[in-house]
Amino acid sequence: MVTSNYLRLRYWFLLTGPEFLCCKNYLLQEFSRICRLRAYVTNYRLRKKHMTAELVNVMEFQELAKKVLPKMYYDYFSGGAEDEHTLRENVEAFRRITFQPRILVDVSNVNLSSTILGYNISAPIIIAPTGMLKLAHPEGEVATARAAALCNTIMVMSFSSTCTIEEVASSCNAIRFFQLYVYRRRDVSYQLVQRAERYGFKAIVLTADTPRLGRRERDIKNKMVPPPLKILEGLLSVELDPEKGGSKLENFAAKTMDPSLNWKDVEWLKSITNLPILIKGVLTAEDARKAVEVGVAGIIVSNHGARQLDYVPASISVLEEVVEAVNGEVPVLLDGGIRRGTDVFKALALGAQAVLIGRPMVYGLAAKGEYGVRRVTEMLRDELELTMALTGCSSLEDITMSHVRTERDRLRSLL
Ligand SMILES: Cc1cc2nc3c(=O)[nH]c(=O)nc-3n(C[C@H](O)[C@H](O)[C@H](O)COP(=O)(O)O)c2cc1C
Ligand SMILES: CCCCC(=O)C(=O)O
């Protein structure tokens, strides 16, 4: 207990130091200084020790992230809702899809380049919005954006960011989309949409699966404390209930998120921005049709990395029916559980135009900063390229449903 509190303080001070220096007590200040120093040294040693070891896949980044992060933060990043059934399913469902490769196809040139909403990217692999990245690395969202720029891909910046829109925008020339949470204080969401547009973000990604935060029991146990969200500086300050136990993040979300958000609000969003709007969190054909009807520019099939409602299906399991319902009217993207280039291929085969990657990017960031995010992106891209070569696809257009065998196919063949 004492050790875990000590660790919590140690890393809290390391990452958010200046905010805490309001403590009047001299002893506490000294304690904080020593804690930060010790955390810095420990972290540095751990990073250095693993710096030389070659990591060969994104799961190894997760192992390294687990070693370098304090438990509270690793649990926040890696955890899911309640029993974490969907968390496991997101990964397992990919494993149940197998390949039907074609042979004797000329694959001496494999082309992965792709276009999303008119923006050219090097591969259909983009960075999902993930909140509070300074808990993973002191350079947080800025390092992530720089990696996106180097890999020539898109970064979706989270509304729950520990850097400001301006910091991220001025850090590099990455193609950036802005993920939006609609707050009870609509003026806060309004202001941030305006700023994103002004600072060159290319699309708004409206997350629609979070009227309330899912029950994340690891965060409850750890009494997860969110860091200051710099993105909200000057716009909103939230007083967390000191008496309330459990996850302070949950407390924060309950105070900020607008649970009344509904389909009509997409009209409101369209009225305040000229940017294309993608809707994130679609899991059914019905909602996909509604999204098309209200005029969104794209759909992201997602269960929020299994962090919201447990026992929803793995996102890959519902992709086919969403794609059928959308009938090519807008692009369909997918996230959740992608850990291999083979997973990316499977999603593309079932109709996704691109995929978003959440946790692996965070693990890359935690383990090796900007370089780690770049390596994760490159690893997935290289694996996708190899998968294409070995299935007989030299371009993304060549990838079809006939290259994979799903559970649906297996059931059909039994009839
Ligand atoms: C630590 C963490 C923070 C997240 N924060 C956000 C967020 O701020 N906004 C959002 O729309 N989705 C958020 N997500 C969900 C991701 O955008 C994405 O849907 C999910 O991570 C994909 O699953 P994967 O982690 O298995 O790749 C978060 C996910 C994680 C793991
Ligand atoms: C209050 C929301 C935090 C970011 C988020 O969406 C997540 O942790 O899944």
Side-chain angles (χ1 to χ4, degrees):
M1 182 64 192
V2 172
T3 322
S4 81
N5 277 338
Y6 169 71
L7 274 179
R8 204 174 297 139
L9 272 171
R10 197 172 90 172
Y11 282 94
W12 179 251
F13 283 129
L14 170 72
L15 293 161
T16 61
E19 283 80 6
F20 255 74
L21 288 183
C22 55
C23 310
K24 290 178 213 114
N25 186 320
Y26 170 76
L27 277 178
L28 196 55
Q29 281 192 13
E30 275 303 288
F31 179 64
S32 108
R33 205 172 56 79
I34 294 163
C35 289
R36 282 159 62 192
L37 199 63
R38 282 195 56 164
Y40 180 79
V41 172
T42 315
N43 239 346
Y44 176 76
R45 280 202 198 120
L46 274 170
R47 280 179 218 266
K48 193 157 180 238
K49 186 170 152 213
H50 294 278
M51 199 64 101
T52 44
E54 186 171 2
L55 303 179
V56 296
N57 59 51
V58 306
M59 280 68 75
E60 293 187 351
F61 271 100
Q62 175 166 5
E63 284 167 32
L64 183 46
K66 189 171 184 181
K67 286 188 179 123
V68 301
L69 286 174
K71 182 177 182 319
M72 182 196 283
Y73 301 156
Y74 177 75
D75 279 355
Y76 164 68
F77 290 130
S78 61
E82 297 192 350
D83 300 331
E84 300 190 338
H85 169 80
T86 301
L87 186 67
R88 288 183 293 279
E89 260 301 288
N90 267 357
V91 172
E92 289 301 322
F94 275 108
R95 299 201 169 134
R96 294 193 294 268
I97 302 171
T98 53
F99 289 117
Q100 304 191 127
R102 299 299 122 71
I103 54 168
L104 295 178
V105 179
D106 177 358
V107 286
S108 40
N109 289 307
V110 176
N111 182 4
L112 278 78
S113 56
S114 175
T115 306
I116 303 290
L117 302 184
Y119 297 98
N120 295 328
I121 50 176
S122 59
I125 299 171
I126 71 185
I127 303 182
T130 48
M132 310 194 284
L133 292 180
K134 278 196 184 169
L135 295 183
H137 188 276
E139 289 174 21
E141 291 80 7
V142 162
T144 308
R146 287 197 178 126
L150 286 170
C151 294
N152 187 20
T153 191
I154 298 167
M155 176 214 191
V156 186
M157 179 182 177
S158 167
F159 192 85
S160 307
S161 279
T162 40
C163 293
T164 63
I165 285 183
E166 293 75 6
E167 282 171 334
V168 171
S170 63
S171 67
C172 63
N173 63 355
I175 307 163
R176 288 163 274 109
F177 292 179
F178 184 65
Q179 178 261 320
L180 177 70
Y181 278 132
V182 177
Y183 273 9
R184 293 171 190 271
R185 285 267 311 270
R186 290 282 168 110
D187 58 311
V188 173
S189 295
Y190 170 83
Q191 293 285 342
L192 288 176
V193 168
Q194 300 296 305
R195 265 156 68 179
E197 195 162 342
R198 192 164 348 118
Y199 281 88
F201 284 66
K202 305 295 187 201
I204 300 294
V205 173
L206 173 67
T207 298
D209 57 14
T210 313
R212 291 169 57 175
L213 204 69
R215 185 180 158 80
R216 303 162 184 186
E217 295 186 356
R218 300 196 208 192
D219 292 349
I220 297 172
K221 273 199 173 29
N222 292 331
K223 302 188 177 12
M224 167 66 184
V225 183
L229 298 183
K230 209 170 167 203
I231 195 170
L232 298 176
E233 225 172 48
L235 291 176
L236 179 75
S237 81
V238 181
E239 291 283 313
L240 300 177
D241 303 333
E243 301 305 316
K244 232 178 180 166
S247 162
K248 294 278 183 241
L249 179 65
E250 204 278 321
N251 189 208
F252 173 82
K255 293 199 160 190
T256 52
M257 304 287 193
D258 185 352
S260 77
L261 185 72
N262 65 74
W263 285 106
K264 289 194 206 111
D265 294 313
V266 179
E267 282 307 320
W268 165 76
L269 183 55
K270 281 163 73 182
S271 77
I272 65 164
T273 182
N274 292 318
L275 294 176
I277 297 166
L278 292 101
I279 196 151
K280 175 170 180 279
V282 171
L283 285 176
T284 62
E286 291 87 335
D287 280 346
R289 280 308 316 159
K290 274 193 187 154
V292 172
E293 280 157 23
V294 298
V296 299
I299 284 175
I300 304 178
V301 174
S302 171
N303 53 33
H304 207 114
R307 297 160 74 77
Q308 286 300 104
L309 180 62
D310 201 13
Y311 295 97
V312 292
S315 42
I316 190 68
S317 310
V318 297
L319 178 62
E320 257 186 283
E321 62 187 75
V322 170
V323 168
E324 273 167 27
V326 169
N327 198 23
E329 287 178 56
V330 295
V332 176
L333 285 72
L334 171 128
D335 72 26
I338 292 167
R339 302 292 179 264
R340 284 282 188 191
T342 47
D343 299 337
V344 180
F345 183 102
K346 290 169 186 177
L348 300 179
L350 295 177
Q353 196 184 334
V355 298
L356 295 87
I357 310 293
R359 292 182 184 82
M361 297 296 182
V362 182
Y363 300 141
L365 180 68
K368 296 188 180 216
E370 175 189 322
Y371 173 75
V373 181
R374 181 153 72 81
R375 282 301 298 137
V376 166
T377 312
E378 287 167 354
M379 277 176 179
L380 293 173
R381 195 168 62 196
D382 292 350
E383 288 174 5
L384 172 62
E385 191 200 21
L386 179 62
T387 310
M388 287 172 66
L390 296 179
T391 49
C393 300
S394 59
S395 76
L396 298 175
E397 292 72 49
D398 293 340
I399 303 174
T400 65
M401 226 133 85
S402 69
H403 288 98
V404 292
R405 194 172 155 83
T406 63
E407 285 171 300
R408 233 180 170 190
D409 295 330
R410 268 190 293 277
L411 287 173
R412 271 195 219 118
S413 72
L414 291 177
L415 294 176

